[in-house]
Amino acid sequence: MNDSHRVHQDTAAGWWHRRVGQGWLAGAAAVPALLVLLAALLAVGGLLVWQLHRASATASARSDGLAAATELTPRLLTYDYRSLPADIARAESATTGGFTTDYRDTVARTVTPHAAEQQLVTHATVRRASVVSADSDEVVALVFLSQVTTSTKLTAPRLDNSGVRVRLSRIGGTWSVAALDRV
Amino acid sequence: MRAHDVEGRPGADAASVGGAPGRRLVVPLALLLGVLLTAIAVAVLALRLQVPRNEQTRNDEVLGAARRTVTDLLTVREVGGQPPLERLLRGATGEFTQQLIGQSDSFTSAVRAAKVSSIGAVTEAGIGAVDDEHASVLVSAIATVHNAQTPGEQVRPYRLTLELVRRGPTWLVSELEFTP
């Protein structure tokens, strides 16, 4: 036994050396175990960061999607027989996916044939709007609408109130209507 | 002199024993520090994630309370002839409570006279605005009505606007309006 080793054992440094230096942390198992633990924690941390990012994206989607629903929904139900092609094109630009085709077909079938002859003018406004559900790229809104229609078939302007469920998708930063149903 | 110590200790490395006792601990200690810091960061992140999670739960509760109230309001059973008033009252506060109490007598006798039964169903509900104490909700619903005088059934659509407030753990309807 040499003197410096005896000194180690009697001092705080010696205590530290004995406990830690010869303890688990100095052992062969410590580094791999700590690496595994660190990797697991980093994985959990990464997952949490991703979830926080999604939550934040969802929060902004709620307000952006609701604003889009309020702005775009009336476009789909507003047209004037004197500017029908332009009005329909404007409405279509607010749609996306299969709904664009559905909308175009519905209008071509139910509106275009009679619009000019009936001098059809209809105008929709949003009275109230709400969010049913929201995701970072999709929002479902419940919108209460008022629609005023004049035509030669009506003796006076007709007011229709309705509730519609509007599903909006965000594609490339732009919100568009992907579905619209009366409820 | 250190060599004497080394000889008797199996597996010991002459370069790592004694002298700088921490040298072979650098890597494990650094890793331990890394683990601790990461664990703290994970705990902070997990706490922050509670906020949106709590908001989601809150929103679900608000919509649930609104849906239940509207369904109960539009449901009138012929047997007994009055809406589930007790449950409606439990979910109500403020102005809406007054409306319910004020309406119930005349409503009940009118309903009994006409022998009407109505089944209410919510078709959709959405949140207009919400914070931890107040919420505005839109509800679209239908009432399927059977009437003793008329055969068959009628389906009537309704649109409602509700204001809710939080009382303790529950959301109560404080205002309800049939929206044109």
Side-chain angles (χ1 to χ4, degrees), chain A residues 104-158:
Chain A
R104 183 183 300 152
D105 290 349
T106 305
V107 167
R109 198 179 62 240
T110 63
V111 176
T112 313
H114 321 289
E117 164 206 333
Q118 294 174 8
Q119 297 178 14
L120 182 64
V121 178
T122 189
H123 184 80
T125 48
V126 170
R127 300 177 62 242
R128 290 178 216 216
S130 62
V131 174
V132 174
S133 63
D135 205 313
S136 49
D137 293 311
E138 186 174 282
V139 167
V140 177
L142 172 62
V143 176
F144 290 174
L145 294 169
S146 279
Q147 194 165 0
V148 179
T149 305
T150 57
S151 85
T152 55
K153 290 184 83 178
L154 299 167
T155 52
R158 190 183 71 203

Side-chain angles (χ1 to χ4, degrees), chain B residues 155-174:
Chain B
V155 178
R156 296 179 192 158
Y158 291 102
R159 284 170 296 283
L160 300 99
T161 305
L162 285 75
E163 298 295 320
L164 293 96
V165 294
R166 193 203 277 272
R167 291 275 182 268
T170 335
W171 285 91
L172 301 176
V173 177
S174 62

Side-chain angles (χ1 to χ4, degrees), chain A residues 2 5 17 21 25-26 34 38 41 45 48-49 51-52 55 62 127-132 142 144 161-162 165 183, chain B residues 1 5 21 24-25 28-29 34-35 38 42 45 49 52-53 59 123-127 138-140 159 161 177 180:
Chain A
N2 72 20
H5 191 69
H17 186 221
L25 206 57
L34 285 169
L38 185 62
L41 282 171
L48 291 175
V49 165
Q51 285 183 325
L52 272 169
R62 280 189 84 92
R127 300 177 62 242
R128 290 178 216 216
S130 62
V131 174
V132 174
L142 172 62
F144 290 174
N161 291 313
S162 60
R165 179 196 298 124
V183 286
Chain B
M1 289 198 232
D5 290 328
R24 69 176 170 184
L25 294 172
L29 277 175
V35 161
T38 310
V42 163
L45 288 172
L49 200 55
R53 286 211 175 128
N59 292 355
T123 54
E124 196 56 274
I127 292 179
L138 301 185
V139 179
S140 63
R159 284 170 296 283
T161 305
E177 180 195 301

Side-chain angles (χ1 to χ4, degrees), chain B:
Chain B
M1 289 198 232
R2 288 189 189 129
H4 289 300
D5 290 328
V6 167
E7 270 164 5
R9 201 175 304 157
D13 179 357
S16 64
V17 165
R23 191 163 291 157
R24 69 176 170 184
L25 294 172
V26 167
V27 171
L29 277 175
L31 280 176
L32 184 64
L33 187 63
V35 161
L36 288 171
L37 289 175
T38 310
I40 292 169
V42 163
V44 168
L45 288 172
L47 274 174
R48 283 179 62 184
L49 200 55
Q50 286 315 303
V51 174
R53 286 211 175 128
N54 291 342
E55 284 178 357
Q56 185 57 55
T57 306
R58 172 198 66 189
N59 292 355
D60 292 342
E61 286 169 358
V62 164
L63 285 177
R67 281 170 170 267
R68 271 193 304 277
T69 293
V70 170
T71 307
D72 285 347
L73 192 67
L74 296 176
T75 300
V76 177
R77 304 218 185 264
E78 207 178 309
V79 178
Q82 64 185 35
L85 193 61
E86 269 185 45
R87 202 161 65 206
L88 269 172
L89 283 170
R90 271 207 301 278
T93 188
E95 194 183 303
F96 185 48
T97 304
Q98 301 309 311
Q99 281 175 297
L100 286 172
I101 293 171
Q103 295 288 333
S104 68
D105 284 345
S106 51
F107 183 76
T108 305
S109 44
V111 151
R112 282 197 177 125
K115 292 189 184 176
V116 170
S117 81
S118 164
I119 311 288
V122 169
T123 54
E124 196 56 274
I127 292 179
V130 64
D131 61 33
D132 286 336
E133 300 292 318
H134 303 94
S136 297
V137 173
L138 301 185
V139 179
S140 63
I142 53 168
T144 306
V145 180
H146 290 92
N147 185 322
Q149 284 112 13
T150 318
E153 65 184 29
Q154 293 181 323
V155 178
R156 296 179 192 158
Y158 291 102
R159 284 170 296 283
L160 300 99
T161 305
L162 285 75
E163 298 295 320
L164 293 96
V165 294
R166 193 203 277 272
R167 291 275 182 268
T170 335
W171 285 91
L172 301 176
V173 177
S174 62
E175 287 171 47
L176 181 143
E177 180 195 301
F178 281 87
T179 314

Side-chain angles (χ1 to χ4, degrees), chain A residues 30-77:
Chain A
V31 168
L34 285 169
L35 276 172
V36 167
L37 187 55
L38 185 62
L41 282 171
L42 284 171
V44 170
L47 181 67
L48 291 175
V49 165
W50 179 78
Q51 285 183 325
L52 272 169
H53 173 76
R54 280 207 62 183
S56 158
T58 299
S60 55
R62 280 189 84 92
S63 50
D64 293 346
L66 188 62
T70 306
E71 188 204 324
L72 300 178
T73 308
R75 262 198 232 176
L76 301 174
L77 299 161

